[in-house]
Amino acid sequence: KSAPYLVVIRFEAEKKEEVELALGSLKKLKVKSKTASAGIIELCLEARFTPETLSLVESLSAIPGVLNASAVSYGGETTL
């Protein structure tokens, strides 16, 4: 069974196509935020992962030019 996660990825702007290709295996993907500064892009995405597909985070981290990638369990909208 899949569960919702927030995925945060920081990468060099010229690696955008490689990152998008790696993310293409996810069925549901929603951009929550995007920050760009000095040639670095940071994406925060909402995605659904199964235990088997969660290894995508390691695959993203292995792409040269990806500075970091993380996934955080997410239960939906948050309020402060």
Side-chain angles (χ1 to χ4, degrees), residues 50-67:
T50 64
E52 296 80 25
T53 59
L54 195 54
S55 64
L56 175 67
V57 175
E58 286 87 5
S59 299
L60 286 165
S61 294
I63 297 171
V66 172
L67 305 174

Side-chain angles (χ1 to χ4, degrees), residues 9-12 19 39-41 60-61 63-69:
I9 312 161
R10 285 192 61 178
F11 56 95
E12 297 169 359
V19 170
I40 302 295
I41 296 175
L60 286 165
S61 294
I63 297 171
V66 172
L67 305 174
N68 54 49

Side-chain angles (χ1 to χ4, degrees), residues 26-61:
L26 297 175
K27 292 179 182 172
K28 288 191 172 187
L29 192 63
K30 182 177 180 182
V31 176
K32 300 298 269 184
S33 71
K34 177 181 179 180
T35 305
S37 176
I40 302 295
I41 296 175
E42 181 176 279
L43 288 177
C44 181
L45 310 164
E46 183 178 343
R48 296 195 70 85
F49 286 101
T50 64
E52 296 80 25
T53 59
L54 195 54
S55 64
L56 175 67
V57 175
E58 286 87 5
S59 299
L60 286 165
S61 294

